[in-house]
Amino acid sequence: MLKSQNPSAPEHRRDLAADGGALSMSHNDSRSFFNLSQLVLSAGQIKPSPALKHSKITYFEVEIVDVQSKRQICIVDKVLPASTVLDVKHKFHKACPQWYPSRVGLQLERNGPFLKDSISIQSLAVSSIITLYFTDLGQQVGWTTFFLTEYTGPLLIYLLFYIRLSTIYDQVESTKNFRHPVVHLACFCHCLHYIRHLLETLFVHKFSEGHTPLKNMIKGCAFYWGFTSWIAYYINHPRYTPPSFGHKQVSYAAFAFLMCEAGNHFINVALAHQTNTGNRTCFPSPTYNPFTWLFLLVSCPNYTYEAGSWISFTVMTQTLPVGIFAFLMVIQMSLWAQKKHKLYLKRFYPEVRRKAAMIPIIF
């Protein structure tokens, strides 16, 4: 008689233990994976990104400190994260009416640069309290006012000498001596030069934000107005002698002057209408206009044309005051051109790296 063979008790327990062990290991693995996932998720929140750092801050407090004495002047509170430095200046002006926004210079560090008005407050903050250093920039004027005042003076002063006022020249000499045609031509060219500057100031140039100290305008007016008086006195004097080479010298120099004036105008128009590619402003390139072809050689052709105008005016009138003024203008504009050329190299390196600043080869 045959008996059915059942697994023995020890073997049965071993099989159950093996199955149970497998289930236990599977359960432990699930719990380990779950714990690891929780750890990874929680680790991402230990150090929040800078963008989220101030996300819960509703307002900032800006402490204004005097840059010299380090004394606290005031605290501008309830500044929104989207506010700019200009907004802070307006709030500061309400607290301290004697300092209007254009007169206020704010720095993040005592020896650091002045902050631009367009900078957002949130980009400066490392906490809810921001400390800015205040500098009184003095009496300020707008750039449009600066240039209109600087250029209007020479225009009017020259005309006063041209009509030969009795308080300036001897009337007997003025009526006796004949005026050479170059005197009338010089008046036309001089007035044309400053009328062009005035019209471009109003309708062409795009001035940067901010103002300039009043003392700068006083120095500029003293330079331009003073030299204009000296130049106009000699050219319009009854005893003025015409250029040595006569009509040819005057004609060629007048033609060169008019060409430089036209070139200066077209260059300024090109600079005012620079093209934009995405977020980048492109350096002006020559167009079909021949006056803009100077961009192929120099990065500041407006200064080249300006220097050419005064050199041509010197040859046309053949007077010492104009020559001295032209010499000083060439030096000043070459310094401005060098400074601007360095800025162009940083912003438009591929376009200007092979160009001179103002005069080909020399500068």
Side-chain angles (χ1 to χ4, degrees), residues 61-91:
E61 287 187 357
V62 180
E63 180 189 23
I64 308 295
V65 179
D66 185 81
V67 71
Q68 298 294 337
S69 62
K70 298 182 182 179
R71 179 180 57 86
Q72 184 189 93
I73 300 175
C74 72
I75 293 180
V76 180
D77 57 356
K78 293 186 177 180
V79 178
L80 294 171
S83 300
T84 62
V85 172
L86 182 60
D87 297 328
V88 173
K89 289 182 179 181
H90 283 291
K91 288 179 176 288

Side-chain angles (χ1 to χ4, degrees), residues 94-131:
K94 290 182 180 180
C96 304
Q98 68 270 30
W99 291 307
Y100 50 89
S102 62
R103 188 168 181 164
V104 175
L106 296 178
Q107 302 161 274
L108 193 60
E109 300 175 356
R110 290 189 66 195
N111 297 324
F114 291 110
L115 299 172
K116 292 183 178 181
D117 291 343
S118 58
I119 295 178
S120 66
I121 291 298
Q122 191 170 12
S123 65
L124 304 174
V126 294
S127 65
S128 60
I129 301 176
I130 308 169
T131 300

Side-chain angles (χ1 to χ4, degrees), residues 110-344:
R110 290 189 66 195
N111 297 324
F114 291 110
L115 299 172
K116 292 183 178 181
D117 291 343
S118 58
I119 295 178
S120 66
I121 291 298
Q122 191 170 12
S123 65
L124 304 174
V126 294
S127 65
S128 60
I129 301 176
I130 308 169
T131 300
L132 298 179
Y133 294 94
F134 161 75
T135 300
D136 184 6
L137 300 178
Q139 190 77 16
Q140 302 286 301
V141 293
W143 284 109
T144 302
T145 304
F146 176 90
F147 288 113
L148 289 179
T149 305
E150 193 174 68
Y151 297 142
T152 302
L155 179 64
L156 299 178
I157 289 171
Y158 196 98
L159 292 175
L160 290 177
F161 283 91
Y162 176 74
I163 62 178
R164 289 183 176 176
L165 294 175
S166 58
T167 56
I168 301 175
Y169 302 111
D170 182 75
Q171 286 300 102
V172 177
E173 275 192 322
S174 298
T175 55
K176 187 184 297 185
N177 293 339
F178 172 74
R179 289 198 190 194
H180 193 275
V182 71
V183 176
H184 304 292
L185 182 61
C187 180
F188 170 77
C189 291
H190 191 275
C191 293
L192 176 67
H193 177 79
Y194 284 102
I195 288 174
R196 177 185 64 80
H197 272 306
L198 290 171
L199 293 177
E200 288 178 351
T201 300
L202 293 173
F203 304 110
V204 176
H205 293 304
K206 298 176 182 179
F207 299 108
S208 59
E209 61 180 19
H211 299 70
T212 186
L214 178 63
K215 61 181 181 181
N216 288 349
M217 188 179 77
I218 295 174
K219 289 191 294 185
C221 290
F223 177 78
Y224 279 99
W225 295 16
F227 262 104
T228 299
S229 301
W230 191 22
I231 291 169
Y233 176 80
Y234 270 81
I235 296 176
N236 296 288
H237 198 281
R239 297 182 183 179
Y240 168 75
T241 54
S244 303
F245 297 96
H247 180 71
K248 279 189 177 181
Q249 179 178 341
V250 173
S251 300
Y252 291 148
F255 178 77
F257 177 87
L258 294 176
M259 291 298 100
C260 288
E261 287 294 300
N264 203 338
H265 172 70
F266 289 118
I267 292 296
N268 288 332
V269 171
L271 290 173
H273 297 86
Q274 297 183 38
T275 56
N276 295 322
T277 304
N279 296 327
R280 184 175 179 271
T281 303
C282 298
F283 187 78
S285 57
T287 63
Y288 62 89
N289 188 340
F291 290 104
T292 63
W293 294 351
L294 199 56
F295 273 122
L296 295 172
L297 301 176
V298 296
S299 60
C300 303
N302 52 328
Y303 294 141
T304 308
Y305 282 123
E306 184 78 9
S309 293
W310 286 112
I311 293 173
S312 303
F313 194 76
T314 303
V315 175
M316 181 177 65
T317 58
Q318 196 174 309
T319 54
L320 180 63
V322 182
I324 295 174
F325 180 73
F327 176 73
L328 295 177
M329 287 295 288
V330 170
I331 293 176
Q332 180 62 73
M333 284 183 290
S334 65
L335 296 175
W336 287 341
Q338 285 290 331
K339 184 178 180 180
K340 189 171 287 188
H341 185 70
K342 290 179 181 178
L343 295 176
Y344 285 157

